[in-house]
Amino acid sequence: MISKDMLALGTKRSVIREIFEYGNRRKAEIGAENVFDFSLGNPSVPAPKEVTEELMNLITNTPAQKLHAYTSAPGDLGVRTAIADFLNRTYDAKADANKIYMTVGAAASLTISLTAITCEGDEVIVLTPFFPEYSVFIRQAGGTPVTVACPAPDFQPDPVAVAAAITEKTKAIIINSPNNPSGIVFSEASIKELCNVLEDKQKEYGHPIYLIADEPYRELTYDGVEVPYLTKYYNNTIVCYSFSKSLSLPGERIGYILVSSNATDADDVYFAVCGAGRSLGFVCAPSLFQYLLPACLGKTGDVNIYKKNRDTLYDNLTQMGFTLSKPQGAFYLFMKSPMEDTDAFCEMAKKYELLIVPGEDFGVKDYVRISYCVSEDMIARSLPAFKALAEELQLG
Amino acid sequence: MISKDMLALGTKRSVIREIFEYGNRRKAEIGAENVFDFSLGNPSVPAPKEVTEELMNLITNTPAQKLHAYTSAPGDLGVRTAIADFLNRTYDAKADANKIYMTVGAAASLTISLTAITCEGDEVIVLTPFFPEYSVFIRQAGGTPVTVACPAPDFQPDPVAVAAAITEKTKAIIINSPNNPSGIVFSEASIKELCNVLEDKQKEYGHPIYLIADEPYRELTYDGVEVPYLTKYYNNTIVCYSFSKSLSLPGERIGYILVSSNATDADDVYFAVCGAGRSLGFVCAPSLFQYLLPACLGKTGDVNIYKKNRDTLYDNLTQMGFTLSKPQGAFYLFMKSPMEDTDAFCEMAKKYELLIVPGEDFGVKDYVRISYCVSEDMIARSLPAFKALAEELQLG
């Protein structure tokens, strides 16, 4: 008598969450220091000091009545202006404060954007590997997810495969770079090829195909790699951003949607975003965390800690005989399963108290995700376990 | 090519918002002190001191990594336990922490609850006068709103009319007491009669009819009136609560859903709530404002300020010849339009710089809403304007 879909979503935990819960039980049994939990994408680096300083400043110096009042539904205009200025200064993004809509993080940015643009029967393309909640969000908006593989081992988008998947019903494509779970950053060449395909298909079908850029990991990059800013490459771009990872504030739920000013009927797309936010019950993004942003734009936690973790794991696991793509962003390593049965491999890893996530939920059966947003110390302690696992598998 | 419904919702401002924007333009023209803006429901009383103290305490004494991390999706268990204990201590509510789901405020509480329980084709009853976004939220969840009038001038629910409106398709009824826009508190007798009707109709149709209690104004009551706690009167109750008004934190977006432990298949209803929250993109409620709550449960801003405003306005306007119901809760006065054409009356009020909201959007054509969550000083200054309006209308 209640919604069967919602009951199913609420009852069935994600695989990631299952492993995390197993980890908690196991830690209680054998001690937290003996379990090597690489399952979750929870930032391990603390928020930059500017966050705490500005929170104290706001609470001390702004009257509570103003600080905690409703902002306008799209967000405080001063905050949106600061964000637009930052994006224009940093990426030449041609962002307009009046095309920014503040949200409670990336998931909300996605559900609002998808609800704004999706009509019943529309298809939305997602590129594997992808964050599994994309399918949930697309279905909630009334659309159908269509998956297209990014080929291993470099996991760059495949323009030919994307072109083949686009139909008259294609309303949008979601891309996520730096990528969860692969850690891959899509190159400028890949982006250009992909945008050419989208431009051609827009002409062929005579309607916009939106490029939704899910970018919570934008600032978490290594080796000097650049993440192309997509409004410069494609007009019908909607950027979904979150400060969860850059400012290590995942619990506070603060992010935004930017509709490109050059999008077809950009005003209408933005109004539909406002309508979707209203309809889904968002009212406004948390005011204190909106007001925090101008002082923190461009700041991040210490990204070098993630880089060091990546290097330690990548170098050691490669030497042990595991096969990994070297990621240049986010805080995930995507590793090829050394066994045909990936689930069996993850179970075997558990024997050594190593908790890693099978790739099937991300749409890639023969890989596993290792989240390295963990302490340096845990990584050091985990290496003998990985070594023992490699030896049981007779790798190297 | 985008969603027409979302575009319409985003383009068409609510009447309240239109009047508020008119007020801002008018203030720029003739000075803020000369405009008497009674349009918005934004708390005018500052947050209680415990809010600021506990925010400082949390930011100073909790490591940022813990304070700003993801909580579990339904919310931190310690926070939910504190809320359940408070509800049980205060209202004998029989609340269970494992049936509480933390949300970003009342609107989200409603969209999540409605999405959890509504199946395509379901009807949801709303009682006029009602907060106009209810219709938006019901439609978003795939349901159809059915309105039933609470008769003027006391605006208590009419059990006979509710019984007549219930059909096989009725999935839920939303009630809001203390009420926006009438300020009326539903009496225990009214609640009992209403619940009897719902029990009878559940038996008749053989399935649950949920009572959704939207309660952001629960603590804002005057003259010692009590607001019955609905889990005690009806098993299939879902309480949608927000701290926006009680703690004067409307911009921070923090509230919760409580599923009655006695609801039919209560576990499934709660899981469906979790599924709906996930599907709509909520992830978790803001962590800092979750952790704030245990220290602030039962606290409010200074409710006496609202009471004083109510008394000043009610006494003076009644004396001038206007007809008002005396509200015992929230911060709204509902006044009968002294002209047949309510819009014309609101336009006439504008000549005296009085900004009040016609009742049509709340489902009651011949009334207007006056929000008295404003400064005492503005009320004093507005009285000559009301007086002049009464004289033009030859009232009294």
Side-chain angles (χ1 to χ4, degrees), chain B residues 120-327:
Chain B
E120 204 63 38
D122 280 350
E123 295 171 352
V124 177
I125 293 177
V126 294
L127 302 178
T128 61
F130 67 93
F131 181 53
E133 297 296 86
Y134 287 171
S135 304
V136 175
F137 300 157
I138 293 166
R139 289 204 183 88
Q140 170 65 37
T144 305
V146 173
T147 58
V148 176
C150 294
D154 69 342
F155 296 107
Q156 293 288 328
D158 176 349
V160 177
V162 170
I166 293 175
T167 73
E168 205 181 351
K169 292 180 178 175
T170 303
K171 180 53 67 69
I173 177 170
I174 303 178
I175 74 168
N176 173 221
S177 166
N179 184 264
N180 173 11
S182 74
I184 295 298
V185 176
F186 293 171
S187 69
E188 187 180 34
S190 290
I191 293 295
K192 283 181 172 171
E193 284 184 326
L194 183 68
C195 293
N196 284 340
V197 167
L198 296 177
E199 295 285 5
D200 288 349
K201 290 291 176 180
Q202 288 194 135
K203 274 184 209 131
E204 182 178 341
Y205 293 115
H207 62 74
I209 300 173
Y210 298 97
L211 178 60
I212 298 179
D214 178 28
E215 304 204 332
Y217 300 100
R218 164 165 283 278
E219 292 83 2
L220 306 191
T221 57
Y222 318 110
D223 316 325
V225 73
E226 300 232 341
V227 183
Y229 204 87
L230 292 166
T231 55
K232 291 194 289 188
Y233 298 87
Y234 188 70
N235 287 343
N236 283 321
T237 293
I238 300 173
V239 178
C240 291
Y241 185 79
S242 164
F243 294 92
S244 289
K245 317 293 180 179
S246 56
L247 294 182
S248 291
L249 292 174
E252 305 299 357
R253 316 310 306 143
I254 186 77
Y256 60 82
I257 297 165
L258 168 68
V259 175
S260 168
S261 304
N262 294 324
T264 312
D265 301 324
D267 285 346
D268 280 1
V269 175
Y270 183 72
F271 283 134
V273 162
C274 296
R278 180 180 166 191
S279 180
L280 296 170
F282 285 102
V283 184
C284 69
S287 51
L288 174 63
F289 284 90
Q290 286 191 51
Y291 294 126
L292 168 74
L293 297 176
C296 298
L297 292 166
K299 310 287 186 239
T300 64
D302 185 354
V303 178
N304 277 324
I305 296 176
Y306 295 135
K307 180 182 181 304
K308 205 168 161 191
N309 285 353
R310 179 200 66 161
D311 290 344
T312 306
L313 270 178
Y314 178 81
D315 293 347
N316 280 278
L317 297 188
T318 304
Q319 206 165 26
M320 290 173 196
F322 291 104
T323 305
L324 300 102
S325 309
K326 187 160 189 176

Side-chain angles (χ1 to χ4, degrees), chain A residues 1 44 68 140 171 252 279, chain B residues 1 68 140 171 252 279:
Chain A
M1 296 308 304
S44 55
H68 305 305
Q140 170 64 37
K171 179 54 65 72
E252 304 299 358
S279 180
Chain B
M1 297 309 304
H68 305 304
Q140 170 65 37
K171 180 53 67 69
E252 305 299 357
S279 180

